[in-house]
Amino acid sequence: MIVAAVALSSSCGGDRRAASAPAGAGASHDVDRAAIDPSVAPGDDFFRYTNGAWLKKTEIPADRSSYGVWAQLRDLAQQRTHELVEAAAAGSAAAGSDERKIGDYYASYMDERAIEERGLAPIRDQLTAIAAIADARALAARIGDSLRADVDALNNTNFHTDRVLGVWIAEDLNDPSRNVPFLLQGGLGMPDRDYYLQPGARMDGLRAAYRSHIAAMLKLASIADADGKAARVFDLEKRIAQAHATRTESVDVAKANNPWPRDDFGRRAPGLDWAALFRAARLDRAPTIIVWHPSAIVGTAALAGSVPLATWREYLTFHAIDRRAAVLPKAFGDEAFAFYGKTLAGTPAQQERWKQAVDATSDALGEEVGKQYVQKFFPASAKAQLQQMVANISAAFDRRLDALTWMAPKTKANAKAKLRTLRVGIGYPDAWLDFSALSIVRGDAFGNAERAEAFEYAHQLGKLDARPDRGEWWLTPQTVNALNMPVQNALNFPAAALEPPFYDEAASPAVRYAAIGAIIGHEISHSFDDQGSQFDADGRFTNWWTPEDLAHFKEASAKLVAQYNAYMPFPDLHVNGQLTLSENIADVAGLSAAYDAYRASRGSQSDAQSGDDRSFFVSYGQTWRAKRREELARQLVLTNGHALEEYRADSVRNLDPWYSAFDVKPGQRLFLAPPDRVRVW
Ligand SMILES: [Zn+2]
């Protein structure tokens, strides 16, 4: 599962952005003129105009399913993290110290010989416990005991877990002064219900490959009747998938805001011994649980009551092995990659072990690694300057709100209140998570992975007893991405994303505002879009718009849905304009606010000092530079909330200054008549 998770990172940045030079070293502080393809008219295909020469000469590395500026920045962050963890592994820091934990985690993951020698011994206890499930109560307890905080409904919008259910702990949508658990659907090995249910030869092929993968994993573990078990496991997952909500339904908070009293679960979702499950999951102290996917919870509970226990044991056995493939003997990792990496994402070759180990360490000890990362790689001066840019772009948003003619005065006041209280985190959190309760044992890669996830789960459970922290971070500093957290009314911009070409102190304002400025604008826009309008300044789930405001917004967004639905990445597949709506609005609005802030920042400067409109838009187009393999592109079109990069670059067609900058004329492919250009804010 690790392979798929890496390829599918899906928060707001979601693999966007492009570089004018290899990230970090030797950046030119300007747009990349050599990447432009002058044979393409900007008005016909802006993505290929700005990136065409780069696209022609760039091959996706064999161990990747995609490549582009985000990948380049991730490489940079990974190299730096590698330096840190290697130094920690080689050093002799005191037992129990931060550095020692990082070093021991990494060294254990790298010690493939020890992993090989231990064979299946580390997972034996789990498999024995699963084999001992003899009644409904034991099944429920086992499911509960295996739950982890591994999904995120609103911040990172990660709806996938191969555990039977997903747990997320965050502010109560209806009372943001307290934290509550959220229960999400789960239990699938493949990325989404569509993979189980959508007809067609392609999906039939993937389903057959997944059944073979299940059988292969069981055979590797010397489990008898692997093919028979694989068929039954697959069939159970297919039935779980039938109960699942679609990806589009999953982002509809109104459908998801279902607070169920804990004692009501048995009545509302019969089939599972919920008391046993909650006790084992340590959720039995929460009086209320918000059920994000009610029909899936009901459906899954019914399957727990109706599918034979033997099938559940087979299913739990497969997933226990499958999710830990990376820290079991090499044959398991290779088989997991063959399916999740090669077949599902189209990646020809597996990442080198050290890269996997760096990422695993960085996941398991997120802020522990992050603390060291920012000490070494993120200067305080950068933080101060970026805070100023954030202030300028917020001011641009504020002016755009003032200028809106369609929004009711009361709605405007609410929007401005939200903007005023928006909490913007730059680089890293104000307070660091304390890892002293986590034990990392050198030579026990499997146990370390288990303990790190259990530690994170305990940390999340601990939030049930604490006041919500609006300064909480949902990305580590070494992550290349950015986030809007609607209930916290807060943004995260991790240090690793604040690097050239996104953030380059020496670049002209035009280039800078189009790069990091558009990202900042994108994230701010989420506070006011179809999702953000449902959360007030305190994070309460309440609509602060009048019906007229909503009608106008829907009209504007319907145009954007149609604009994106018309894009056809493949002859048989179009972009899902509804699924990607929030992100597309954020792109258009973020770019617009960044443009305003850039113009305002010019003062009396000349083009030579501040850059011109052409370099602004080219800089933006180049930040989307990316290539993807077809398998991954198709997977993302079906499941991801973001449109593919090339269409995100083309969002420039909604801004009037783009037309004058490139003399775009009617009849050109991207030309929109002025009334069809979408302006939400
Ligand atoms: Zn976003």
Side-chain angles (χ1 to χ4, degrees):
M1 294 316 298
I2 286 166
V3 178
V6 170
L8 276 174
S9 162
S10 69
S11 13
C12 283
D15 290 334
R16 58 185 201 180
R17 305 281 141 187
S20 49
S28 68
H29 312 305
D30 195 3
V31 298
D32 182 358
R33 299 193 188 281
I36 292 174
D37 182 349
S39 72
V40 178
D44 279 334
D45 188 337
F46 194 64
F47 178 72
R48 278 178 190 75
Y49 166 72
T50 52
N51 298 304
W54 181 88
L55 290 165
K56 278 178 198 156
K57 69 169 196 237
T58 303
E59 293 285 341
I60 302 173
D63 64 347
R64 304 287 173 87
S65 50
S66 66
Y67 195 65
V69 93
W70 286 87
Q72 289 173 326
L73 279 190
R74 282 179 184 142
D75 285 350
L76 177 67
Q78 195 180 45
Q79 278 163 27
R80 288 172 164 181
T81 310
H82 188 211
E83 278 176 40
L84 290 176
V85 299
E86 279 280 2
S92 53
S97 67
D98 296 357
E99 206 182 330
R100 178 72 173 265
K101 281 180 189 166
I102 292 169
D104 284 351
Y105 197 99
Y106 175 75
S108 308
Y109 200 101
M110 286 301 289
D111 190 352
E112 292 178 274
R113 212 171 80 185
I115 292 172
E116 211 64 39
E117 278 167 6
R118 296 186 72 193
L120 286 171
I123 203 172
R124 279 287 168 229
D125 284 354
Q126 270 189 52
L127 300 186
T128 305
I130 292 167
I133 296 171
D135 56 28
R137 171 160 300 182
L139 173 65
R142 189 69 218 162
I143 291 172
D145 186 56
S146 75
L147 300 189
R148 292 294 178 265
D150 57 0
V151 290
D152 177 341
L154 278 173
N155 298 333
N156 281 296
T157 54
N158 167 22
F159 294 103
H160 183 265
T161 173
D162 66 329
R163 300 175 194 274
V164 177
L165 301 167
V167 177
W168 183 58
I169 292 168
E171 291 85 348
D172 186 341
L173 300 172
N174 312 295
D175 175 8
S177 71
R178 62 174 190 178
N179 290 315
V180 290
F182 294 74
L183 209 56
L184 278 68
Q185 66 191 18
L188 304 184
M190 290 199 285
D192 187 83
R193 75 193 298 278
D194 282 358
Y195 282 75
Y196 296 83
L197 306 176
Q198 213 175 65
R202 234 192 88 74
M203 287 302 191
D204 283 343
L206 291 177
R207 286 187 278 270
Y210 183 48
R211 266 193 301 269
S212 305
H213 167 66
I214 299 170
M217 283 305 224
L218 296 173
K219 277 175 199 156
L220 284 172
S222 307
I223 290 171
D225 183 27
D227 291 319
K229 289 187 168 86
R232 289 188 290 276
V233 169
F234 180 85
D235 185 58
L236 172 53
E237 286 194 28
K238 187 174 172 185
R239 294 176 71 184
I240 294 172
Q242 281 162 345
H244 267 212
T246 65
R247 186 63 173 69
T248 305
E249 287 164 345
S250 289
V251 295
D252 186 341
V253 184
K255 281 189 185 145
N257 183 21
N258 307 292
W260 288 13
R262 196 189 66 239
D263 296 337
D264 257 17
F265 274 69
R267 189 176 57 78
R268 295 186 189 221
L272 247 178
D273 185 337
W274 286 101
L277 185 147
F278 287 137
R279 203 161 42 244
R282 286 171 289 153
L283 289 169
D284 52 342
R285 63 195 207 252
T288 302
I289 293 166
I290 297 188
V291 176
W292 198 270
H293 294 116
S295 62
I297 301 298
V298 170
T300 304
L303 289 169
S306 63
V307 169
L309 278 178
T311 303
W312 278 103
R313 287 193 295 264
E314 292 162 356
Y315 164 91
L316 292 169
T317 298
F318 161 67
H319 281 291
I321 298 167
D322 191 54
R323 85 170 58 97
R324 288 281 175 253
V327 285
L328 289 172
K330 187 169 182 300
F332 289 88
D334 288 350
E335 170 55 34
F337 174 76
F339 180 69
Y340 296 108
K342 214 176 251 177
T343 305
L344 273 188
T347 312
Q350 201 167 0
Q351 282 205 337
E352 289 169 79
R353 185 73 181 175
W354 73 261
K355 291 184 181 174
Q356 300 174 44
V358 167
D359 289 347
T361 309
S362 198
D363 281 349
L365 293 155
E367 286 193 9
E368 195 91 317
V369 173
K371 190 164 40 170
Q372 309 220 355
Y373 186 96
V374 299
Q375 275 166 11
K376 211 163 169 190
F377 301 114
F378 191 65
S381 58
K383 188 157 178 156
Q385 282 172 336
L386 282 153
Q387 279 163 336
Q388 186 56 51
M389 276 187 87
V390 169
N392 292 350
I393 293 162
S394 291
F397 256 106
D398 200 62
R399 288 193 299 274
R400 292 183 85 88
L401 288 170
D402 279 333
L404 287 183
T405 52
W406 56 269
M407 191 179 254
K410 183 166 168 286
T411 316
K412 257 189 207 185
N414 283 329
K416 286 163 95 70
K418 218 177 155 178
L419 193 56
R420 256 194 324 274
T421 53
L422 184 70
R423 185 162 170 156
V424 181
I426 298 286
Y428 51 89
D430 293 340
W432 297 100
L433 179 61
D434 175 3
F435 281 80
S436 51
L438 172 61
S439 151
I440 298 298
V441 179
R442 193 130 172 163
D444 184 13
F446 184 97
N448 291 339
E450 291 282 322
R451 283 186 292 274
E453 282 182 9
F455 170 81
E456 173 57 15
Y457 187 53
H459 158 231
Q460 294 295 332
L461 287 175
K463 284 160 50 179
L464 294 174
D465 304 321
R467 296 274 302 175
D469 169 14
R470 281 192 55 213
E472 181 179 3
W473 273 58
W474 292 86
L475 292 172
T476 65
Q478 64 275 26
T479 306
V480 182
N481 219 325
L483 263 197
N484 183 307
M485 291 87 73
V487 186
Q488 286 170 232
N489 191 24
L491 310 179
N492 284 171
F493 295 99
L498 302 171
E499 292 286 341
F502 296 164
Y503 170 64
D504 180 351
E505 199 181 330
S508 71
V511 171
R512 251 189 306 132
Y513 276 93
I516 192 66
I519 301 182
I520 293 167
H522 174 109
E523 297 305 335
I524 292 177
S525 165
H526 278 315
S527 299
F528 309 103
D529 65 13
D530 56 332
Q531 288 281 39
S533 65
Q534 306 177 98
F535 298 89
D536 68 14
D538 296 322
R540 195 178 305 272
F541 182 65
T542 175
N543 201 316
W544 42 276
W545 287 12
T546 66
E548 294 74 31
D549 296 329
L550 192 65
H552 174 94
F553 182 82
K554 283 209 165 130
E555 191 192 313
S557 53
K559 277 195 281 189
L560 209 56
V561 171
Q563 195 180 109
Y564 281 77
N565 275 340
Y567 292 131
M568 301 284 298
F570 303 101
D572 60 335
L573 188 66
H574 69 81
V575 173
N576 183 340
Q578 190 61 46
L579 174 63
T580 57
L581 178 61
S582 285
E583 298 302 333
N584 298 334
I585 291 172
D587 283 347
V588 174
L591 181 64
S592 303
Y595 180 81
D596 289 359
Y598 145 62
R599 296 302 302 186
S601 78
R602 278 176 67 105
S604 57
Q605 288 181 335
S606 65
D607 281 357
Q609 290 167 302
S610 73
D612 60 9
D613 280 12
R614 284 176 74 96
S615 52
F616 176 90
F617 287 111
V618 170
S619 169
Y620 180 74
Q622 291 187 337
T623 59
W624 296 106
R625 179 180 301 167
K627 293 184 94 155
R628 292 186 180 288
R629 299 189 193 278
E630 180 175 343
E631 291 85 346
L632 179 66
R634 285 178 176 274
Q635 187 177 336
L636 293 175
V637 171
L638 286 178
T639 62
N640 199 277
H642 305 84
L644 296 174
E645 286 81 357
E646 68 170 287
Y647 309 115
R648 302 185 71 177
D650 290 346
S651 58
V652 293
R653 66 198 294 212
N654 295 293
L655 273 70
D656 297 338
W658 176 72
Y659 288 80
S660 38
F662 295 96
D663 196 25
V664 178
K665 293 276 190 284
Q668 293 195 290
R669 215 174 54 88
L670 294 176
F671 179 87
L672 290 170
D676 294 330
R677 295 171 199 167
V678 176
R679 175 177 172 153
V680 180
W681 309 116

